[in-house]
Every structure is written in structure tokens, then in C-alpha cells.
Amino acid sequence: MSDAASPITPDVVAAHGLSEEEYARVLHALGREPNLVELGIFSVMWSEHCSYKSSRLHLKKLPTEAPWVICGPGENAGVIDIGEGADGQKLAAIFKMESHNHPSYIEPYQGAATGVGGILRDVFTMGARPVANMNALRFGRPDHPKMKSLVKGVVAGIGGYGNCVGVPTVGGETNFHKAYDGNILVNAMTVGVADADKIFYSAATGIGNPIVYVGSKTGRDGIHGATMASADFDEKSDEKRPTVQVGDPFTEKLLIEACLELMATDAIVAIQDMGAAGLTSSSVEMATNGKAGIVLDMDKVPCREEGMTPYEMMLSESQERMLMVLKPGKEPMAEAIFRKWELDFAVIGEVTDTGHMVLTWQGETVCDIPLGPLAEDAPLYDRPHLSLEDYKAWAAVAPLGDVPPSADLGADLVKLMGSADLASRRWIWEQYDSQVGADTLQKSGGDAAVVRLHGTTKALAISTDCTPRYCYADPYEGGKQAVAETYRNISAVGATPLAITNCLNFANPQRPEIMAQIVEALRGMGDACRALDYPIVSGNVSLYNESKATGGGSAILPTPAIGGVGLMEDHSVMATIRFKAEGEAVFVIGQSNGHLGQSLWLREIHGREDGAPPPVDLAKERAHAEFVRQLVAEGKVTAVHDVSDGGLLVALAEMALAGGIGCTVEEIGDHFTAFGEDQARYVVTSAVAETIQAAGIPMTRIGTTGGSAIRGPGFAVELAELREANEAFFRDWMAV
């Protein structure tokens, strides 16, 4: 029996992830009952992963425009103006962050690898050569029986794919918390650079123009991947292994070069990568964006397996594939390019004026869907959500209350620097090729990664960040803080923050408390972006990150991961975190009030996750960052580091370890000032302290660099002891 003739029963509808109400919408859109191919197409296009049906209403409230924004949300990636290149050509940075959470839990190596491959395609699809990869990873408890293998698999997958494809992995973040025991998060980000007048979009136009399939052949891997990514995990999650795609980075490299070569001609009308939902989403999005129709001959789709049906071809998420609309007569030239790079090339259809997606196979029409209703009738939910006040009552985070004094600030510092969240990530980043391309100026270990724009004095600064424990306790303040921290990190290296992408990781939106996390985190993000003039130009939403699998049983912490990009006009004055010399003055910029609520110190030393997160004053964030950027530009500071997880003493320890030089501080007398996580703060060092004018910015001299230890009132810790504690976690964990 063919796909088209298979009966549609309530069980079949439910298996495709559609509710009764959504299936009624399908019937209304078609004016008849769908066949299996059509049901599959509606299923993936209306999945949470593809349609954003629970979040779209709230995403529309985010600021997305600025004079330097060339293209905001809605395309494969965001595009910003970064000025002139070496030859006077105007340049653009193109970037986006994506999730590959569920696949990475089921099959960590391939899940993470294909996450990297997918985000690379989103960027080079638009005409950019990828110049940097980042990642944001969240794992469960290190002592969880699955966690070591998950960490090893994910890190190997990221490195294995990125290293082979020749794009440097230059930074990221990795956190651990029990809330991710059964549902890890793997968020990947790619940044590329293109000529600003050679950006490619996805709108299919030109009646009769050929539709071309290029890249790898289609297999049965990844079928229902988008649907799987839009559902909770359960005890049978391992059975979903066939829904995880398999990647080939060597083919991806060939695909990048072939696409960029064809893009240098005038042949391409539109281009779209085959990501989630594969051929379905790419063809539907191209036709919808171009307000056109599309007809595809499924007999012409290159397949690597015998007997594949249209249903399988349309829903496969096989990797390293692209769909293009070409100008008429350009097919032979395009084919020659792709054949030269040993890639498949096939003309599989054409653009029509019908407004329908029509699929033919073996002489029959097996699908005929009006594209307007497929997009316009897609579900859009204003899901019930708690107020922020009611959410906090539900979350039941204990008030901070009394905090016992520290018995030994030095001992606390050693314990913090050895904890899973602050330990050296050397074991991770040594597996990544960070120097391929020879343009990486800063990599993992600093505040932001920095990548030179080849042949210019300019560089891009890139940071990923989020503090999920803050977001759980107060999603509004947590959303603000995630944006503000990337802004600080980029400012700390001397770059001007320009725009962000995001990956919004949450649990089941059908729970009002989870929906409250989404709504309030987005409200906080929006307020921060407006106040900092730091728009959102692309992103991804990953919901249903909730596991009933063994060891999980709960929702993840709300994790709106932010990827920020900034521009440095002259990388010769770039700042780094390491202490440079002995005898330099150490300053704190910003106010230290000793906020210990939701601090790492409270959690790691006392086992408590209590209190409200630190409030974020956006006016201060902007003013302090602008001041820091001015100091860097004028060469008045020798080292800069933002103060975040672990507070002031941890920031000093990281600077000291990076430079191999200690410091003596006079102004850290208790655990509040040592480990409080007040925001809008930086540590800077200067050899010309007397020339620094704070211009109304709170700025306190707290000490002097020098020696082989970090010393303060009543404590002293040798750098050698700190370094051993800092390096031991991953080294010892992975050695067993």
C-alpha cells in the first residue's frame, strides 16, 4: 500500500503529535481528509520545533531592529553590518544559535555533531563563510551514571565535526545541575562573514524557475526528528535512536565550498538548508516566503536506500543537503560545480503560481497542500501562565535568611575553583581546533572569544551565556541577566556589543508554571535588549525539555541561552583577563553589595539554592560597560574581567591563574564581598592608576598584583594550590 492510500485513524494522528483540535485545523485547511504524506507534512510543520506555536506570540514582543541590522528573525540566520573590509567592501556578520538537545541525549556523538553541522548550514546558506563556532552545554550531576559518557560523547561530537569541517570552535560554556540529569542541553552557535551586498535569502520566486537538490543523498535517518524534539522524554527514549541524524563533516566541507563557489555567480534565486523536517520545511518555507507554489517530482530525489517512499523522503533529516531555486539555464553550470566537489545534484521541481505544494511520484499526485493555510492556519497558542508573583510562590525558593560566616575565605575559594561549574574546561577545549583559519585571537578561558576579520584591523567578539539558577528563582531578572552578561563579556575585551541570537530552552509549555518562565524570561530579555541597544536578530526555541527517563523525572531549569556578537575596530588594543605584571593597581568597577542569593558560594559551600538572584540595573550595565570600553580603547587598563559566577574573589583567582601572577587585596574582608554576585561589575588592572578617571562610575582600588598567592585580610592561597584544584575536576573525572 502506498503512503497516499494508508488509512488515517485517530491513532495515526496521535502518533504524528497532532491534537484533535489541530487535526480539525488540517481538515479545514485541506477541505478533505489528508493522506499519510500530507499528514506527515502538517505534523512536522506544525510541531513546536518548526512552528513555535507556544512561543510565537511572545517572541513578537522582542526588539529586533537597529540601524546596523540588515536582516532580523525569519531567515536562516541574523545579519548585521560590520563596516568595511580590507578592500573597502562592506561586510556583514551572519550568526545564529540552535539546539540539538533531545538527539544529543539519545546519541551524544551524532546528536552534537549534527547540531554543529546544522547551524553551519544555516549560516553559509546565506552566503557567509563560517569563521567561528561556539557552544553552550548543560549536563546533569557528574556522579549520575550516564553523565560521563554523555559529556564525552557530546564533546567528541562537537570537536569531531567542527575540526573536520575546518571552522574553529573558539569558546562556550558548560554547566552542571541535577535538573539536566535526564535532559541535557546542547546549543551550538556559528558566526560567519559575508559581503553585505551578496547575502542570499530563502524566498522562492520566478514562475518556472528550477528547484534543485544538492549535497548528500536522502536516507531514512532522522525521520520524525522535529516531532521528537517537540515531545517530552520517557523511559523509552533510547528507542528513538533512529530519529537521530548521522552527519559527515567532510561532505559538509565540500558543500560549503561548492555553495560559496556557486554564490559567486549570478545563478541563485533562493537557497535554504534542509534542517529540521528536511525537504518538507525547506520547500514549504521557500515557497511560502516567495508567495509562490512548488511542484516536486519525488522520483528525482537522490536516495541512498532502496524503496524509499515520498513520506520518508519528505520527512528525512539526512544531513548535508540544500535546496535551491536557480535562474533558468543555469543548471548545467551549477551541476558542474557540484559534480566537481563530488556532491549530488538533481533538478527535482519548479516554482509555480498555484500557491500549492504538489508532489508527484510514479505518475501519481501524492500530495497537494495549499501553502497559505499550512502557514496561516498553523496553531498559535496563548497558553495559560502564572503571574511572576504566583510563579515565585510555586517555585518556592527559600528566602536567603541568615548566612553563616565563612570559616576560611581561602579554603572556600579553593573549593569553588575546584567545583564542576568553575573548574578548568581545558579537557573540553583541548579537543577543539580553535586555531584553524589562523584568525583566532582569544579562545576559551577569557570573557569573550575574539576572531580577526582577515586582512583588517577589525575583529568579532563572541560570547554565550545564561545563568539558569537565576532564571529559575526569578525568570524576569534571569532573562535580563543572561543578556547583560554577554554584553559585559563582549565589552570586557574592548568590543562594542551589536546584537544577539538566542536558544530558548524550557520544559513543557502546557504547564502554566513553565509558560510563566518563558513569558517572564522573554520580558526580561526584551527589556535588557532595549536598554542596551542590543537587538535580537535570530534564534531558536527548544521546548519540552522534560524527562520521565530514569534519573530525570523533572523539568530542566529555564535556560534562555544568549549568544552575543560585538565588533572591535582595532584588535591591537584588545583586553584579556590575565594579570600582566607585578605592582599594578587592581580596581573594581561597579558597586559590591555582597549579594549571596543564588550564588555559587551558597550552593557549593552550604548546599543551598536559596534567595533571589542579584538584581540587574540596566542603566548601570550600559554605563559601566561604556566606561570599560573607553579604558580599553585608551590603553589605560592592562587586564579586564567581568565579575560573574563566584563573585569577586573568583574573578581575581581566574585573572591570577591566567597570568601566573598573584595579588594582595585589602578590601575583601568577609564572604559577602568575596563571593557576592552583584552585577555590572568588572575587575581591571592598571599601571597608570592615577590617570584613570571614573567619571561618576563607582570604582574602588582593592589591591595590587604580585607574588605567587592571592592574599587578603586573614587568608592566603598559593596559585599552585588553586591551579591544582581548578584542573583536577575534569582530569580526575575523565581518568577513571
Side-chain angles (χ1 to χ4, degrees):
M1 183 182 291
S2 73
D3 291 340
S6 299
I8 306 300
T9 65
D11 286 348
V12 171
V13 172
H16 282 76
L18 293 169
S19 68
E20 288 182 16
E21 189 268 339
E22 287 169 347
Y23 185 61
R25 285 174 180 259
V26 172
L27 295 176
H28 181 263
L30 286 176
R32 57 175 172 80
E33 189 174 85
N35 61 39
L36 190 62
V37 178
E38 293 165 335
L39 182 69
I41 289 169
F42 274 100
S43 161
V44 292
M45 294 308 300
W46 287 6
S47 68
E48 194 75 62
H49 193 77
C50 292
S51 75
Y52 300 129
K53 57 192 177 187
S54 299
S55 57
R56 205 158 73 244
L57 192 71
H58 304 283
L59 292 171
K60 291 176 180 177
K61 303 171 187 174
L62 294 172
T64 60
E65 296 178 347
W68 52 90
V69 174
I70 297 172
C71 177
E75 276 291 338
N76 286 291
V79 187
I80 57 173
D81 183 344
I82 53 173
E84 291 185 357
D87 54 359
Q89 173 64 48
K90 285 195 172 295
L91 298 177
I94 299 180
F95 58 97
K96 189 182 179 186
M97 184 185 268
E98 267 275 9
S99 62
H100 233 218
N101 302 335
H102 287 35
S104 298
Y105 185 84
I106 296 166
E107 183 60 69
Y109 184 94
Q110 290 295 350
T114 52
V116 174
I119 197 64
L120 281 165
R121 286 194 299 282
D122 277 337
V123 167
F124 76 74
T125 294
M126 297 195 70
R129 180 172 289 281
V131 297
N133 286 334
M134 300 277 284
N135 53 74
L137 312 176
R138 301 291 184 313
F139 296 106
R141 293 166 296 159
D143 59 359
H144 186 280
K146 286 189 73 166
M147 210 51 56
K148 186 190 296 187
S149 66
L150 287 170
V151 172
K152 282 184 172 179
V154 165
V155 170
I158 291 169
Y161 204 100
N163 296 354
C164 291
V165 86
V167 178
T169 300
V170 295
E173 54 171 341
T174 305
N175 293 143
F176 296 85
H177 192 280
K178 62 184 180 184
Y180 305 101
D181 279 357
N183 199 127
I184 64 174
L185 302 184
V186 176
N187 297 171
M189 176 179 175
T190 294
V191 181
V193 177
D195 290 348
D197 60 354
K198 293 179 182 172
I199 295 165
F200 292 83
Y201 298 101
S202 62
T205 57
I207 308 308
N209 280 350
I211 295 170
V212 172
Y213 172 121
V214 299
S216 290
K217 287 181 168 62
T218 295
R220 289 189 171 95
D221 52 323
I223 293 173
H224 288 303
T227 312
M228 179 266 292
S230 306
D232 291 350
F233 274 171
D234 56 28
E235 291 79 1
K236 297 179 179 178
S237 61
D238 280 350
E239 294 176 10
K240 296 175 181 175
R241 202 173 299 273
T243 62
V244 179
Q245 312 92 321
V246 178
D248 179 355
F250 299 104
T251 302
E252 181 100 341
K253 175 64 175 170
L254 299 176
L255 189 59
I256 292 173
E257 298 304 331
C259 286
L260 292 176
E261 184 174 337
L262 185 61
M263 287 168 168
T265 73
D266 65 345
I268 299 175
V269 174
I271 182 168
Q272 180 83 357
D273 88 291
M274 295 192 214
L279 187 51
T280 290
S281 65
S282 55
S283 55
V284 168
E285 287 167 10
M286 288 176 82
T288 302
N289 292 345
K291 297 180 171 56
I294 193 167
V295 60
L296 300 179
D297 183 347
M298 304 309 290
D299 294 307
K300 294 180 178 176
V301 174
C303 293
R304 67 167 184 260
E305 298 184 43
E306 294 285 329
M308 288 191 69
T309 65
Y311 180 93
E312 293 170 323
M313 293 180 226
M314 292 302 291
L315 269 61
S316 165
E317 293 184 9
S318 295
Q319 298 291 285
E320 294 88 38
R321 301 180 301 157
M322 311 285 277
L323 200 64
M324 298 181 183
V325 177
L326 300 183
K327 293 179 180 176
K330 300 292 185 180
E331 302 95 320
M333 177 190 69
E335 181 169 10
I337 290 172
F338 281 90
R339 297 292 183 200
K340 180 184 75 175
W341 290 100
E342 300 180 343
L343 296 165
D344 273 283
F345 179 100
V347 178
I348 65 168
E350 64 180 45
V351 180
T352 68
D353 61 358
T354 64
H356 282 232
M357 168 186 261
V358 176
L359 308 179
T360 64
W361 183 59
Q362 297 181 354
E364 293 181 21
T365 297
V366 292
C367 169
D368 188 344
I369 294 176
L371 289 167
L374 184 61
E376 293 157 14
D377 292 353
L380 177 61
Y381 296 129
D382 186 2
R383 296 201 185 274
H385 57 89
L386 303 181
S387 67
L388 184 57
E389 186 179 349
D390 287 346
Y391 168 79
K392 288 180 180 179
W394 171 86
V397 174
L400 184 60
D402 292 333
V403 178
S406 171
D408 184 336
L409 293 179
D412 287 359
L413 177 61
V414 172
K415 187 170 181 180
L416 276 172
M417 294 299 288
S419 67
D421 275 6
L422 291 177
S424 167
R425 269 70 179 128
R426 183 186 305 275
W427 179 87
I428 294 176
W429 52 255
E430 281 187 343
Q431 297 184 55
Y432 303 153
D433 187 343
S434 62
Q435 298 298 333
V436 62
D439 285 322
T440 305
L441 302 179
Q442 271 201 66
K443 56 182 184 180
S444 301
D447 282 320
V450 181
V451 179
R452 174 176 59 192
L453 292 174
H454 207 67
T456 76
T457 62
K458 296 180 177 184
L460 295 175
I462 315 160
S463 171
T464 58
D465 235 300
C466 180
T467 312
R469 62 184 187 277
Y470 293 178
C471 296
Y472 181 81
D474 186 332
Y476 174 70
E477 287 295 333
K480 284 163 63 181
Q481 194 273 343
V483 172
E485 187 159 348
T486 67
Y487 188 85
R488 279 202 306 273
N489 287 338
I490 290 168
S491 298
V493 299
T496 303
L498 291 178
I500 66 172
T501 183
N502 60 66
C503 194
L504 306 174
N505 309 271
F506 294 90
N508 187 337
Q510 296 174 57
R511 294 167 56 187
E513 62 273 17
I514 302 300
M515 202 63 216
Q517 293 174 347
I518 297 169
V519 171
E520 291 299 329
L522 286 171
R523 185 167 71 89
M525 288 165 53
D527 285 354
C529 290
R530 279 182 282 269
L532 301 173
D533 214 8
Y534 195 33
I536 296 169
V537 296
S538 60
N540 168 244
V541 177
S542 174
L543 305 182
Y544 296 94
N545 290 290
E546 192 163 327
S547 175
K548 303 177 184 69
T550 38
S554 64
I556 63 161
L557 298 179
T559 312
I562 304 296
V565 175
L567 181 65
M568 190 181 296
E569 289 292 342
D570 183 0
H571 57 68
S572 67
V573 294
M574 172 183 74
T576 63
I577 74 167
R578 63 183 181 88
F579 288 155
K580 304 302 189 298
E582 303 215 358
E584 295 192 336
V586 182
F587 294 89
V588 175
I589 295 171
Q591 194 68 43
S592 297
N593 297 316
H595 189 102
L596 287 176
Q598 294 302 320
S599 65
L600 276 187
W601 178 83
L602 191 68
R603 189 182 83 192
E604 296 299 324
I605 304 301
H606 294 287
R608 292 167 54 188
E609 297 185 27
D610 299 346
V616 179
D617 185 321
L618 294 167
K620 289 179 179 176
E621 291 284 1
R622 183 162 186 160
H624 297 182
E626 287 173 350
F627 180 57
V628 166
R629 296 200 297 270
Q630 180 188 335
L631 292 177
V632 174
E634 294 173 356
K636 291 180 176 177
V637 287
T638 51
V640 182
H641 191 16
D642 94 302
V643 180
S644 54
D645 283 345
L648 184 53
L649 204 50
V650 165
L652 289 166
E654 289 171 342
M655 297 173 86
L657 288 173
I661 299 169
C663 62
T664 299
V665 292
E666 296 90 31
E667 301 294 324
I668 297 182
D670 59 26
H671 52 305
F672 292 100
T673 52
F675 304 114
E677 295 181 6
D678 306 275
Q679 300 294 292
R681 291 188 299 163
Y682 302 79
V683 176
V684 301
T685 58
S686 178
V688 288
E690 66 280 358
T691 69
I692 297 180
Q693 300 297 313
I697 305 288
M699 189 166 180
T700 309
R701 180 166 180 171
I702 62 168
T704 307
T705 61
S708 63
I710 295 179
R711 302 179 182 276
F715 72 93
V717 185
E718 289 290 328
L719 294 188
E721 184 182 359
L722 276 175
R723 193 177 305 280
E724 170 58 24
N726 194 231
E727 297 283 350
F729 170 73
F730 273 103
R731 182 195 67 207
D732 297 350
W733 189 32
M734 293 303 170
V736 178

